[in-house]
Amino acid sequence: MQWSYRLVSGLLVCASVIGMAFALYLEHVQGLEPCPLCVFQRVGLIAMGLIALIALIHNPVSNAFKRFYAFLATLAILWSAGVAGRHVWLQSLPPDQVPSCGPGLDYLIEALPLKSVMQQVLSGSGECAVVDWTFLGQSLPVWSLLFFIVLTLLCVWQLIRNYPYGKAARKK
């Protein structure tokens, strides 16, 4: 069975929607306030979902366009995976090495230029090292990282796989 380009794009869109729905559930129903690193992870997930949605709607015939969309989606989800990896690392630090808590993301965005905001958030803060939710003994950033790794593998596969040529490719 060959998975069509549209099917994989649709799966990526669905995964993005499900991931964001779960994040919003944890925030608004369970009362977990997202730290700045969590917000940055969401940005990459949303970007990947939007790129996959555009690819799904466009349904390009050209392999170059298919690979272009897959490349952009891969970059977006790699951003999320990288930030989640940083988050996991911060949570694994001994308490005496955890950075002190800084101002909130809203304040940083209002007060600093974008480059400084990025540096400040990615350096981490004490609030990002707090483990306030676990499942099967693992924190939310660990589960997020695993989810993003699976999505990254799917995006990379979409990027490097062989696509059928000719009229048969257009029917799929």
Side-chain angles (χ1 to χ4, degrees), residues 12-167:
L12 291 171
V13 171
C14 288
S16 178
V17 169
I18 290 168
M20 279 309 301
F22 185 67
L24 292 173
Y25 166 79
L26 289 176
E27 181 179 351
H28 295 289
V29 176
Q30 296 295 318
L32 298 178
E33 191 66 31
C35 73
L37 288 176
C38 293
V39 173
F40 274 34
Q41 290 171 46
R42 291 179 184 186
V43 168
L45 182 62
I46 291 169
M48 184 218 59
L50 288 174
I51 293 163
L53 180 63
I54 292 167
L56 177 69
I57 292 168
H58 179 204
N59 191 25
V61 175
S62 163
N63 287 345
F65 266 117
K66 289 178 181 180
R67 293 187 197 293
F68 176 70
Y69 287 135
F71 176 73
L72 292 178
T74 302
L75 287 180
I77 202 62
L78 275 173
W79 166 262
S80 291
V83 174
R86 175 80 173 158
H87 203 166
V88 169
W89 176 78
L90 275 172
Q91 287 187 339
S92 70
L93 288 175
D96 62 327
Q97 293 181 7
V98 172
S100 62
C101 289
L105 186 58
D106 293 336
Y107 173 78
L108 290 174
I109 290 172
E110 289 177 16
L112 299 173
L114 184 59
K115 182 180 177 183
S116 297
V117 172
M118 299 286 277
Q119 289 173 341
Q120 186 85 13
V121 169
L122 292 176
S123 66
S125 68
E127 66 182 312
C128 295
V130 174
V131 177
D132 51 7
W133 185 91
T134 60
F135 179 70
L136 298 176
Q138 298 300 318
S139 67
L140 185 57
V142 171
W143 288 110
S144 297
L145 179 60
L146 291 173
F147 180 61
F148 298 146
I149 288 171
V150 169
L151 292 178
T152 300
L153 292 174
L154 194 55
C155 287
V156 169
W157 178 70
Q158 184 85 312
L159 177 65
I160 65 172
R161 72 187 183 126
N162 290 326
Y163 295 105
Y165 295 98
K167 291 182 181 179

